[in-house]
Amino acid sequence: MRKVLVAVAGCCLLLASSIARADMPGDPLSWLGRIASAAERVNFTGTFMYQSGAHSETSRIAHRVDEHGQFERLEVLDGSPREVIRVGSEVRCVLPDERTVIIDRANSRRVFPVRLPETFGSLAESYRISKGRVSRVAGYEAQAILLEPRDNLRYGRTLWAERQTGLLLKSRIVDEDGGVVEQITFNDVRIGGEIGEELLTPRFEYNDSWRVVHAGGNEIGREETGWGATPPLPGFAPVSAMKRPLGQDRGEAIHLVFSDGLASISVFIEPLSAEAPQDQLGEQSNGAINIYKRAAHGHLITALGEVPARAVRRLGDAVQPGAH
Amino acid sequence: MKDRLSAFLDGDLDGQAGTPLLDRLRKDPALKKDWEAYHLIGDVLRGESAGSRDFVDRVMAKIDGEPVLFAPGVASAAAAGRSRGGWQALMAVAASVMGVAAVGIVAASLYSGEPRVAQMAEMKRSAPATPVLAQAQPRDRLPMRNVAADRNIEYVFAHQGLSGSGAMPGAVQYVRAVSSVVQDPAR
């Protein structure tokens, strides 16, 4: 998804530069490009609230970009302490309560410039994209960009971008009834200026006695997976395929990712094992993520994503061996 | 098979899925014995046992020897945990420790709506099998879960790793990955 976003951003940037070089583009697609690139270009620090269903949580974030690259620190302020530190291409989730560090590679997914006229095209195919009103968010003037789904296989989104820099100040996902599925809002933010070292310094030290885990599987070609979706889910293109080890005696899970440019659906395919209870098959739901499981072709197929239940079901049912 | 037996006992298998099990029960004396033992254990735990002191002791001895009787999901999850490597081990830890925002919500909805979990939690409080179970999963601060729920968490975690929250600035994407509903071990 990040890859896609960056890709979308890249395309939008290209588009933006060819269409209008003005600081404040009128075209909503250009705004999307500004939003995506602002996250990499702009120094900022602030607090934001994450809401999903009845759950909400406040976090503090600081981001600095300089000649040495990208630096970020995110700290969850509610509940148990959790921290995310980004230095260049490496992202670390630090969980002091459990003396655990999870390391993710951000590099390969976040590099400009990227592909995808096709994803860009699919974004406009899947959503009606328009400019909304200008309103205030966290004390800044913000331009709303509306993405209304053209079908019922994805949620609608509204993005509020700070007018001068394009930094995203607020994001909302809504279902077809207009109910809020998920929302992220800056309560308070300072854009630009120096981001002091103290704002980026990890609060938690860790050492060799902590558990260090490396996230991420191995990216493989889609053809190599031997699986695909037929018929494809409208608007959702395959963007990534990975292999993830399941441990000894259990082989590997194949992880396919499909995206429409904003929303994404993951499909996991693993050998059907005796310990997987059959009574867990079918649909499961919660605020933002829908899950659909079925057993077919000797495998357990799990589709999930921040999309309506019918979308994960349709994609899950379409996944079969041989198709790409 | 024991898992399925237990699930059936808990009412987690519907009639259709239970039919072959019942057939097997009729034919398999060992399974039938397990079936009776499950019922007895349940009766004892609910305080409905009319058995002798000796009977209770014998049942409890059996429990000590076989924690799987109590919480098949937990025991098999623990067993799976031992054999797991790489990604799934990571996800299991990460999920049980921090819970992704989405993960947390998934977990909350899965766990809270799961009668067997509540039942197991109840058993954990009341049964002498507690030390056995505690030993089985010393690191686990969350309520016990079954394998399926466990795996959903892994899936969601992996999904989040590959999908941002849509045009979010860098680390904001990770808020889903570190935000959590199920931080409270008392939950």
Side-chain angles (χ1 to χ4, degrees):
Chain A
M1 184 63 182
R2 265 171 276 170
K3 191 192 240 171
V4 174
L5 281 172
V6 167
V8 169
C11 294
C12 294
L13 271 185
L14 283 176
L15 213 82
S17 57
S18 60
I19 291 175
R21 293 205 74 95
D23 283 337
M24 224 179 289
D27 174 10
L29 290 175
S30 309
W31 271 100
L32 292 181
R34 295 184 79 216
I35 290 169
S37 68
E40 304 281 335
R41 290 187 288 104
V42 177
N43 285 357
F44 63 90
T45 177
T47 57
F48 65 91
M49 188 193 287
Y50 173 88
Q51 290 170 274
S52 180
H55 172 63
S56 72
E57 207 166 68
T58 303
S59 298
R60 177 186 293 135
I61 189 170
H63 173 259
R64 181 173 80 196
V65 54
D66 59 23
E67 67 274 19
H68 301 296
Q70 307 277 341
F71 300 88
E72 259 164 356
R73 177 174 175 275
L74 181 154
E75 180 186 2
V76 180
L77 300 177
D78 301 326
S80 72
R82 284 146 287 155
E83 188 176 55
V84 179
I85 303 289
R86 177 180 172 200
V87 177
S89 63
E90 188 182 84
V91 177
R92 289 166 186 260
C93 297
V94 182
L95 311 165
D97 274 7
E98 292 298 331
R99 299 172 65 79
T100 298
V101 184
I102 298 172
I103 302 174
D104 191 16
R105 307 180 298 265
N107 52 350
S108 59
R109 307 174 195 145
R110 298 177 64 90
V111 181
F112 279 97
V114 225
R115 41 171 268 189
L116 315 188
E118 67 267 20
T119 304
F120 175 70
S122 79
L123 189 63
E125 272 171 31
S126 303
Y127 299 91
R128 275 182 294 274
I129 306 171
S130 60
K131 275 169 72 176
R133 293 187 311 168
V134 173
S135 60
R136 284 179 81 233
V137 180
Y140 288 89
E141 296 259 290
Q143 173 68 54
I145 306 296
L146 311 175
L147 296 111
E148 298 167 81
R150 292 185 187 272
D151 57 26
N152 60 9
L153 297 173
R154 63 211 89 230
Y155 290 130
R157 294 174 190 240
T158 308
L159 308 174
W160 284 263
E162 198 274 314
R163 288 186 85 196
Q164 300 300 322
T165 60
L167 184 70
L168 191 66
L169 297 177
K170 183 173 174 179
S171 159
R172 179 189 290 163
I173 299 179
V174 294
D175 61 23
E176 56 191 336
D177 302 321
V180 176
V181 175
E182 180 185 276
Q183 181 165 294
I184 299 177
T185 319
F186 270 106
N187 306 110
D188 171 53
V189 63
R190 172 167 68 83
I191 301 174
E194 291 295 309
I195 301 298
E197 202 57 44
E198 74 282 358
L199 291 173
L200 296 166
T201 307
R203 185 175 142 203
F204 304 102
E205 298 285 331
Y206 63 92
N207 56 43
D208 293 345
S209 73
W210 284 43
R211 185 183 172 107
V212 178
V213 279
H214 294 266
N218 298 317
E219 188 114 20
I220 56 173
R222 282 205 304 283
E223 304 72 28
E224 289 175 56
T225 67
W227 292 78
T230 308
L233 190 64
F236 285 87
V239 292
S240 154
M242 305 192 88
K243 270 189 180 170
R244 298 178 182 276
L246 290 170
Q248 286 169 357
D249 311 328
R250 290 193 38 215
E252 291 174 309
I254 289 164
H255 180 185
L256 305 174
V257 183
F258 298 81
S259 173
D260 69 359
L262 272 183
S264 59
I265 303 176
S266 282
V267 177
F268 299 90
I269 302 155
E270 65 180 277
L272 200 54
S273 65
E275 67 183 44
Q278 302 293 307
D279 55 336
Q280 293 289 334
L281 298 179
E283 288 181 6
Q284 294 160 38
S285 171
N286 68 83
I289 302 271
N290 278 299
I291 303 173
Y292 172 68
K293 283 174 185 288
R294 74 180 180 120
H297 313 290
H299 287 73
L300 177 65
I301 296 169
T302 304
L304 64 89
E306 62 282 9
V307 293
R310 66 177 72 85
V312 287
R313 173 180 279 275
R314 268 181 65 173
L315 187 60
D317 282 339
V319 166
Q320 53 183 287
H324 295 302
Chain B
M1 186 49 77
K2 282 188 179 183
D3 287 10
R4 296 185 52 80
L5 192 61
S6 172
F8 185 68
L9 191 64
D10 291 344
D12 286 350
L13 286 188
D14 58 26
Q16 205 170 9
T19 307
L21 193 68
L22 288 174
D23 287 339
R24 179 108 187 251
L25 262 178
R26 276 192 280 274
K27 293 171 194 155
D28 185 343
L31 198 63
K32 190 154 182 283
K33 215 171 150 192
D34 286 336
W35 171 254
E36 286 164 357
Y38 285 163
H39 276 291
L40 286 175
I41 290 161
D43 291 347
V44 169
L45 284 173
R46 286 188 295 269
E48 297 166 3
S49 166
S52 65
R53 175 76 194 133
D54 175 50
F55 164 76
V56 173
D57 286 347
R58 273 188 288 123
V59 172
M60 288 311 170
K62 191 170 168 64
I63 291 165
D64 282 344
E66 266 190 279
V68 71
L69 283 176
F70 266 97
V74 174
S76 51
R82 279 194 294 278
S83 66
R84 268 179 200 158
W87 169 60
Q88 290 232 329
L90 151 68
M91 294 315 164
V93 169
S96 67
V97 186
M98 68 180 191
V100 180
V103 163
I105 291 151
V106 169
S109 57
L110 287 179
Y111 294 162
S112 59
E114 175 104 9
R116 205 193 316 173
V117 170
Q119 203 170 341
M120 289 192 304
E122 178 59 34
M123 286 180 178
K124 190 184 176 191
R125 275 196 296 277
S126 60
T130 301
V132 178
L133 295 173
Q135 199 179 358
Q137 277 199 319
R139 294 181 59 86
D140 201 335
R141 298 173 60 218
L142 288 178
M144 287 173 277
R145 66 177 70 105
N146 64 32
V147 173
D150 197 29
R151 216 166 282 159
N152 281 342
I153 293 175
E154 296 165 8
Y155 292 144
V156 175
F157 191 97
H159 172 71
Q160 293 297 328
L162 281 182
S163 68
S165 44
M168 280 293 151
V172 175
Q173 294 172 2
Y174 285 86
V175 71
R176 269 192 188 141
V178 295
S179 175
S180 171
V181 197
V182 277
Q183 287 296 311
D184 183 2
R187 213 191 70 82

